[in-house]
Amino acid sequence: LIKAYILSTGNELLLGTTIDSNSVYLSKKLRELGIKVIGKITVGDTRENLESAFRLAISSAEVVICTGGLGPTFDDLTKEVVCGLMKCKMQINQEIVDNLKAYFISRNRPMPDNNLSQAMFPPEATILPNRFGTAPGMYLPVQQDKKIILLPGPPCEMRNMYVEEVEPRLKEDFNLQQNKSNTRIIKVFGPGESQVDQILAGITKEVDKSNIALLAHDGEVHIRITAEDDQENSSEVLEPIVEAVKVKLKDKIYGYDNDNLVSVVVQLLKERGQCLASAESCTGGLLSKLITDMPGSSEIFWGSVVSYSNQAKMKLLGVSPETLENYGAVSRETAREMAIGIRKVSGADYGLSITGIAGPDGGTKTKPVGLVYIALAADNTCIVKELRSRGNRKSIRIISTKSVLDLLRRQLLAGGISS
Amino acid sequence: LIKAYILSTGNELLLGTTIDSNSVYLSKKLRELGIKVIGKITVGDTRENLESAFRLAISSAEVVICTGGLGPTFDDLTKEVVCGLMKCKMQINQEIVDNLKAYFISRNRPMPDNNLSQAMFPPEATILPNRFGTAPGMYLPVQQDKKIILLPGPPCEMRNMYVEEVEPRLKEDFNLQQNKSNTRIIKVFGPGESQVDQILAGITKEVDKSNIALLAHDGEVHIRITAEDDQENSSEVLEPIVEAVKVKLKDKIYGYDNDNLVSVVVQLLKERGQCLASAESCTGGLLSKLITDMPGSSEIFWGSVVSYSNQAKMKLLGVSPETLENYGAVSRETAREMAIGIRKVSGADYGLSITGIAGPDGGTKTKPVGLVYIALAADNTCIVKELRSRGNRKSIRIISTKSVLDLLRRQLLAGGISS
């Protein structure tokens, strides 16, 4: 397995205002070749920090790719630093000088002297032409089959040079082939990360740990399974693990790869020719927004009432004033009447409802922030669930929304509800 | 000058699919304290790579902040690695064990044994409580006034812990003060970037260009004005430029700095003691979601009908079948009846409506994707506007939503509508 380290240089990348999209691009492209990116470093344009970053990268990986710092100005140091560390001597390359002169003549501008630094290269390096700028790149083989690759910082120059000049060389030098996708993602809603970890303990012990990773986000746990070897047998490696995970997690798994809870529920409803309407209080339209993010959702979505006031609950959903008076807007009883109410007014197969306290204000001792009731009404039946979420307003709203979608998903799959 | 190194851990950050937003956030926050971030490293969850990354960071900077790897699972190693490098012994902390147990009891779930690893800390560390998850953070003073800080990976947990637990300690330990902001942002909705650029041509020529930057995003243009020197006299530099921009752009400016269109409209309504209800078709709840993102919006927001089907338009909003038959769901007439309908059923001061074709399907030659009608109903009056947006489903929905908010904002300011 070939390992790579990515370096990004530039003071602007350390200010918290610029995203380093180059390293994201390179990670993806290297992974396609089956090269494992083991680390990324971003440093500013000082010699000392550049040197320590290159030292770490070169000692850890076979492929070191650095973007930025190839320009003509005083703070463009990467080539100098690499040649210093590797004890290579730079010489002026006349062909590059001629190219630079031609570039400036074609733009009717005089060439500043400091551009000559861009024509200095060690003789053992392959110089990589830059079709979109003045800074050539460098592909430098060093001891023990390692390669140090320097690319310009501007993304369009970098990407073009990577695809045209670097990728073919890496393929040849390391005898690599472009991978088909060698990752599967299994998506779970409900149990927490540590619970999933425990359920999968037997599997994670058996397989190489670096092949399975858990990622928790917004109430979901994603299990990412990667085949590290060449792609020839990647499905042979992946599928048994996927099957083993399926056996353990059963219906806690809601989908795979590009699925999300909405796309899964929409698909299930389409298959059944059924439709849905919703009534939302604390989520304020988020459920409806997520459903309608999907093109074509009108086929299964009647619409929604965002009953942010008690008045709206009574007027549009038929929640009774007594229920609101006796149990409050955040209660099992109100959630039930909201779900039944929207189902009735819409004539949809399913009515979903959400009512709760998203915070930061409005919580009490008996009804704290994070207390949410969700309900699903179908023909002759209505299921109500109580949720107690931690987190802030945003995460409470997201988790509540996903919970009601998952409630419907499970019922559709269980076939326990018909309409 | 205090130097910092930021570490991010997690295999998923090296795949080219996930952006490391944590390090961007931390860079910005550290800069606010005057701490200089000299480098960032991202590594996967292997002991060897974590160790070399920590070694580099600790040898280069006084403040080392690492996010991720504090969970209870097998690939959560950061605490162990740091304690190994620093030769600190971890012990079980009974208070944290009790907190963890209480956390799981409150969720009615058994605590998996592997969560106990989250209660192991060296005695010289300060344990940082996590209000939104199970993984506590750690603030570890080491030799030569250095601090190693470990934070959880999920952004909401990390941010909260940084603001509440880390920032105050850094200020105290390094005797730092928060910088005052030396940036003003002027926010414009309506005209495009080049139009704003042209309107401001006189100003941008006068002042140093690096002090003014235009940023276009989702139909808005933000004018960022920065004072480059120390903050002592930053307002003296900034305010004359802000005033000159105001004179040029007038009511095209909707707000400043942290304002957004929703916050501005909510504030105007609160000042007037008025309230709002909405009826959305193609935006599917987005308007309602954005309004209710704001805590306290219930004061001015009655609720919304997401009338995604014609049935919903007729049944809940009283749009007449003849209007839908003769003009279609996407028409001036339907937008008008939706706005008047929701105002009537809600009794709110203002009724807003949106109906259009967000695409990618559903467009025709006479009614293409991007054709949207918005309306504002008030006492005895209803304004309807036609929009023709380019872009994809997402941007059409966002621009339509902002347009109807801006329509209400202008009317509220002009005083042309009363109810």
Side-chain angles (χ1 to χ4, degrees):
Chain A
L1 192 70
I2 313 295
K3 287 174 289 180
Y5 230 101
I6 299 174
L7 268 73
S8 310
T9 74
N11 291 325
E12 72 282 5
L13 298 174
L14 297 170
L15 299 176
T17 51
T18 309
I19 294 272
D20 171 24
S21 64
N22 282 346
S23 75
V24 176
Y25 174 85
L26 288 173
S27 301
K28 211 174 139 205
K29 298 302 281 182
L30 290 168
R31 196 156 62 101
E32 283 175 15
L33 292 180
I35 294 176
K36 186 180 170 73
V37 177
I38 59 164
K40 304 198 286 189
I41 314 188
T42 307
V43 283
D45 305 317
T46 67
R47 190 177 301 271
E48 189 191 352
N49 294 327
L50 275 168
E51 275 177 4
S52 55
F54 268 109
R55 253 192 227 110
L56 169 60
I58 294 167
S59 68
S60 314
E62 287 87 45
V63 176
V64 175
I65 304 194
C66 174
T67 62
L70 297 181
T73 65
F74 66 88
D75 54 0
D76 289 305
L77 292 169
T78 51
K79 217 163 43 177
E80 216 181 302
V81 163
V82 166
C83 290
L85 284 176
M86 293 293 115
K87 311 215 185 317
C88 306
K89 277 208 175 116
M90 290 204 277
Q91 304 170 352
I92 196 134
N93 182 304
Q94 194 54 45
E95 196 185 328
I96 304 292
V97 174
D98 296 342
N99 288 348
L100 281 169
K101 282 185 177 157
Y103 179 95
F104 280 96
I105 287 168
S106 77
R107 278 166 174 66
N108 243 330
R109 292 197 309 209
M111 182 171 94
D113 281 346
N114 51 12
N115 274 85
L116 280 180
S117 70
Q118 298 186 306
M120 300 288 288
F121 284 92
E124 49 276 64
T126 305
I127 301 175
L128 310 177
N130 185 340
R131 286 213 284 131
F132 299 108
T134 62
M138 177 168 119
Y139 189 95
L140 181 72
V142 294
Q143 77 280 16
Q144 297 165 329
D145 276 337
K146 296 196 182 206
K147 316 287 171 195
I148 301 177
I149 300 152
L150 306 186
L151 301 176
C156 95
E157 298 178 27
M158 189 283 291
R159 290 177 188 214
N160 176 264
M161 196 180 285
Y162 176 82
V163 170
E164 291 188 359
E165 303 291 340
V166 178
E167 196 173 74
R169 286 186 171 83
L170 289 175
K171 277 186 188 171
E172 196 181 316
D173 289 352
F174 292 104
N175 195 21
L176 301 168
Q177 291 185 332
Q178 205 97 12
N179 266 335
K180 283 174 220 142
S181 162
N182 57 356
T183 299
R184 294 286 322 261
I185 301 170
I186 301 175
K187 298 186 173 178
V188 171
F189 184 82
E193 190 181 6
S194 55
Q195 205 183 334
V196 171
D197 190 46
Q198 216 175 29
I199 295 172
L200 298 183
I203 300 171
T204 45
K205 257 178 214 159
E206 254 172 57
V207 304
D208 182 350
K209 277 176 186 178
S210 62
N211 278 337
I212 295 199
L214 299 188
L215 192 69
H217 187 56
D218 285 341
E220 302 192 18
V221 178
H222 294 183
I223 303 150
R224 184 187 293 265
I225 305 170
T226 312
E228 303 242 311
D229 301 358
D230 52 283
Q231 78 283 15
E232 294 291 311
N233 58 356
S234 79
S235 69
E236 281 170 43
V237 175
L238 291 175
E239 287 315 315
I241 307 177
V242 172
E243 286 307 315
V245 171
K246 272 190 193 173
V247 168
K248 295 273 190 184
L249 286 169
K250 303 193 184 72
D251 71 343
K252 293 183 180 70
I253 298 171
Y254 76 78
Y256 301 88
D257 302 325
N258 295 321
D259 290 340
N260 59 54
L261 271 166
V262 170
S263 71
V264 167
V265 166
V266 167
Q267 187 54 34
L268 288 171
L269 288 169
K270 281 189 180 173
E271 285 166 10
R272 285 159 179 72
Q274 296 184 321
C275 83
L276 167 71
S278 59
E280 305 181 54
S281 197
C282 64
T283 50
L286 178 60
L287 172 61
S288 169
K289 184 258 176 198
L290 287 177
I291 293 171
T292 60
D293 277 345
M294 273 198 74
S297 50
S298 57
E299 212 180 297
I300 59 92
F301 188 54
W302 183 85
S304 177
V305 166
V306 180
S307 52
Y308 218 57
S309 58
N310 279 350
Q311 266 213 319
K313 290 182 187 73
M314 295 186 281
K315 200 133 189 187
L316 297 178
L317 299 170
V319 174
S320 83
E322 293 74 31
T323 301
L324 291 169
E325 174 74 28
N326 296 338
Y327 303 102
V330 179
S331 63
R332 283 184 180 278
E333 291 74 12
T334 298
R336 181 189 307 276
E337 290 187 22
M338 286 170 66
I340 293 172
I342 190 66
R343 182 168 180 272
K344 194 169 164 196
V345 74
S346 67
D349 301 290
Y350 303 106
L352 297 181
S353 76
I354 306 172
T355 180
I357 301 158
D361 306 317
T364 63
K365 203 148 190 192
T366 49
K367 295 190 177 178
V369 169
L371 176 67
V372 177
Y373 293 94
I374 60 175
L376 161 58
D379 201 23
N380 289 323
T381 171
C382 183
I383 302 165
V384 187
K385 274 184 75 172
E386 180 184 289
L387 310 174
R388 286 175 184 268
S389 307
R390 273 173 131 180
N392 57 19
R393 182 176 179 87
K394 193 175 167 191
S395 65
I396 290 168
R397 282 162 42 114
I398 290 177
I399 301 230
S400 307
T401 303
K402 288 185 176 175
S403 298
V404 79
L405 286 165
D406 196 55
L407 177 62
L408 177 57
R409 178 188 72 85
R410 284 164 183 264
Q411 294 300 328
L412 287 168
L413 285 178
I417 272 184
S418 63
S419 63
Chain B
L1 193 69
I2 312 295
K3 289 175 288 181
Y5 229 101
I6 299 174
L7 267 73
S8 311
T9 75
N11 290 324
E12 72 281 3
L13 298 174
L14 297 170
L15 299 174
T17 50
T18 309
I19 295 271
D20 171 25
S21 63
N22 282 345
S23 76
V24 176
Y25 174 86
L26 288 173
S27 301
K28 209 172 140 209
K29 297 302 282 184
L30 290 168
R31 196 157 62 100
E32 283 176 14
L33 292 181
I35 294 177
K36 185 178 171 72
V37 177
I38 59 164
K40 304 199 285 188
I41 314 187
T42 308
V43 283
D45 304 316
T46 66
R47 190 177 300 271
E48 190 191 351
N49 294 327
L50 275 168
E51 275 177 3
S52 55
F54 268 108
R55 255 192 226 110
L56 170 60
I58 294 166
S59 67
S60 314
E62 287 87 41
V63 176
V64 175
I65 303 195
C66 175
T67 62
L70 296 183
T73 66
F74 62 88
D75 54 0
D76 289 305
L77 292 169
T78 49
K79 216 164 43 178
E80 216 180 302
V81 164
V82 166
C83 290
L85 284 175
M86 292 294 117
K87 311 218 185 312
C88 307
K89 278 213 175 110
M90 290 204 275
Q91 304 170 349
I92 197 131
N93 182 304
Q94 194 53 44
E95 196 184 329
I96 305 293
V97 175
D98 295 341
N99 289 348
L100 282 169
K101 282 187 178 157
Y103 179 93
F104 281 94
I105 286 168
S106 79
R107 278 171 168 61
N108 242 329
R109 293 200 305 213
M111 181 170 95
D113 280 346
N114 50 12
N115 274 84
L116 280 180
S117 69
Q118 298 186 306
M120 300 287 289
F121 284 94
E124 48 277 65
T126 305
I127 302 174
L128 311 176
N130 185 339
R131 284 213 286 131
F132 298 111
T134 61
M138 177 167 117
Y139 190 95
L140 181 71
V142 294
Q143 77 279 18
Q144 295 163 329
D145 277 335
K146 294 196 181 206
K147 316 287 170 194
I148 301 177
I149 299 152
L150 306 186
L151 301 176
C156 97
E157 298 178 26
M158 189 281 292
R159 291 176 186 213
N160 175 266
M161 197 181 285
Y162 176 81
V163 170
E164 291 190 358
E165 303 290 339
V166 178
E167 197 172 71
R169 286 187 171 83
L170 289 175
K171 278 187 190 171
E172 194 180 317
D173 289 352
F174 292 103
N175 196 18
L176 302 167
Q177 289 188 331
Q178 202 99 14
N179 272 336
K180 280 182 220 139
S181 163
N182 56 356
T183 299
R184 293 288 321 259
I185 301 170
I186 302 176
K187 298 187 173 179
V188 171
F189 183 82
E193 189 179 8
S194 55
Q195 204 184 333
V196 172
D197 192 42
Q198 217 169 27
I199 295 172
L200 299 183
I203 299 173
T204 46
K205 253 178 217 159
E206 254 172 59
V207 303
D208 182 348
K209 274 183 187 168
S210 64
N211 279 339
I212 294 200
L214 298 188
L215 191 69
H217 188 58
D218 285 340
E220 302 191 19
V221 178
H222 294 183
I223 303 149
R224 181 190 294 266
I225 305 170
T226 311
E228 304 241 313
D229 300 359
D230 54 282
Q231 75 277 21
E232 293 293 312
N233 59 353
S234 75
S235 70
E236 280 172 42
V237 176
L238 293 174
E239 287 314 316
I241 308 177
V242 172
E243 286 307 315
V245 171
K246 273 190 193 174
V247 169
K248 296 274 188 183
L249 286 169
K250 301 189 186 76
D251 72 342
K252 292 182 181 70
I253 297 171
Y254 78 76
Y256 301 88
D257 302 324
N258 295 321
D259 290 342
N260 60 55
L261 271 165
V262 170
S263 71
V264 168
V265 166
V266 167
Q267 186 55 35
L268 289 171
L269 287 169
K270 281 189 180 173
E271 285 165 8
R272 286 158 179 73
Q274 294 184 323
C275 82
L276 169 70
S278 60
E280 304 181 55
S281 198
C282 65
T283 49
L286 178 60
L287 172 60
S288 169
K289 185 257 177 201
L290 288 177
I291 293 171
T292 60
D293 277 345
M294 274 197 73
S297 49
S298 57
E299 211 180 298
I300 60 92
F301 188 54
W302 183 85
S304 177
V305 167
V306 181
S307 53
Y308 217 58
S309 58
N310 278 352
Q311 266 212 319
K313 291 183 186 72
M314 295 186 282
K315 200 131 188 189
L316 297 179
L317 299 171
V319 176
S320 84
E322 293 74 32
T323 302
L324 290 168
E325 174 74 26
N326 295 339
Y327 303 101
V330 179
S331 62
R332 284 185 180 279
E333 292 73 12
T334 298
R336 180 188 308 275
E337 291 187 22
M338 285 169 68
I340 293 172
I342 190 66
R343 181 169 181 273
K344 195 170 162 196
V345 73
S346 66
D349 300 290
Y350 303 106
L352 298 181
S353 76
I354 307 172
T355 180
I357 301 159
D361 306 317
T364 63
K365 206 151 188 188
T366 49
K367 295 191 177 177
V369 169
L371 176 67
V372 177
Y373 293 95
I374 60 175
L376 162 58
D379 202 23
N380 289 325
T381 171
C382 183
I383 303 165
V384 187
K385 274 185 74 172
E386 180 184 291
L387 311 174
R388 287 175 184 268
S389 306
R390 274 172 133 179
N392 58 20
R393 182 177 180 86
K394 193 175 167 191
S395 64
I396 290 168
R397 284 165 38 116
I398 289 176
I399 300 227
S400 307
T401 302
K402 288 185 178 176
S403 298
V404 80
L405 285 166
D406 196 53
L407 178 62
L408 177 56
R409 178 188 72 85
R410 283 164 185 265
Q411 294 300 327
L412 286 168
L413 285 178
I417 271 184
S418 63
S419 63

